[in-house]
Amino acid sequence: MSSPTTDRATTAYFPLLAAERLDIALCRASTAVARAADAQTGALGLGVGQHLVLKMLAEVGPCSQRVLSDELRIDRTVMVGICDGLEQAGHVRRERDATDRRAYAVTITESGRKLLAQAEDAVPEFLDGTFHALTPAERGQLSGILGKLLQARP
């Protein structure tokens, strides 16, 4: 059984650690946002990775799984499972790539576009709820800073 003093020290430690270690703060914030995103997309029966794949396919057109994996920074073995699930549900289809007969191009279907539209409709409310502690200016700053970090790392 812990004492009240121990409980107070424990609940006050993480903010100190996060202030001292930016890497830890970013990892924990990322985990919290990922959990919230999973809960949000899960309501539609769509995982975050699946949402990202549908979004990219809708915006850039058919892509190989390798390109999807590289661009979305999703492990290639995980990408296979994401595309398998989307294909089984009828949200994407795989077709031989006309430029490379060894590869397949993943294409979004009409069903995938409808599901993506539903998921995208929920994004503003999700962002407002997840980032409620930040002002719009702070959200813009955070977006810029994270974009800069992501540009610096492959």
Side-chain angles (χ1 to χ4, degrees), residues 124-141:
E125 183 179 339
F126 164 74
L127 292 175
D128 286 343
T130 302
F131 296 100
H132 68 276
L134 302 178
T135 66
E138 288 170 331
R139 289 182 197 186
Q141 289 174 328

Side-chain angles (χ1 to χ4, degrees), residues 69-150:
S69 176
D70 291 347
E71 287 295 317
L72 297 174
R73 296 184 172 116
I74 297 173
D75 182 87
R76 289 182 186 184
T77 58
V78 174
M79 182 59 69
V80 171
I82 289 171
C83 289
D84 284 349
L86 288 170
E87 185 176 41
Q88 289 169 0
H91 303 310
V92 301
R93 66 179 177 276
R94 290 180 174 118
E95 301 169 334
R96 287 275 185 203
D97 187 328
T99 61
D100 181 356
R101 299 295 290 163
R102 296 169 296 169
Y104 286 89
V106 181
T107 305
I108 192 169
T109 64
E110 190 57 35
S111 169
R113 288 185 190 284
K114 288 178 184 174
L115 182 60
L116 176 61
Q118 289 176 323
E120 289 292 300
D121 285 346
V123 168
E125 183 179 339
F126 164 74
L127 292 175
D128 286 343
T130 302
F131 296 100
H132 68 276
L134 302 178
T135 66
E138 288 170 331
R139 289 182 197 186
Q141 289 174 328
L142 179 60
S143 180
I145 290 167
L146 292 174
K148 194 173 184 179
L149 279 175
L150 291 172

Side-chain angles (χ1 to χ4, degrees), residues 9-51:
T10 304
T11 59
Y13 178 70
F14 189 77
L16 295 173
L17 178 64
E20 179 183 303
R21 294 282 309 270
L22 182 59
D23 58 329
I24 292 171
L26 187 57
C27 286
R28 293 300 177 253
S30 176
T31 299
V33 171
R35 285 182 182 147
D38 281 338
Q40 177 73 26
T41 58
L44 293 171
L46 183 71
V48 172
Q50 293 172 320
H51 184 168

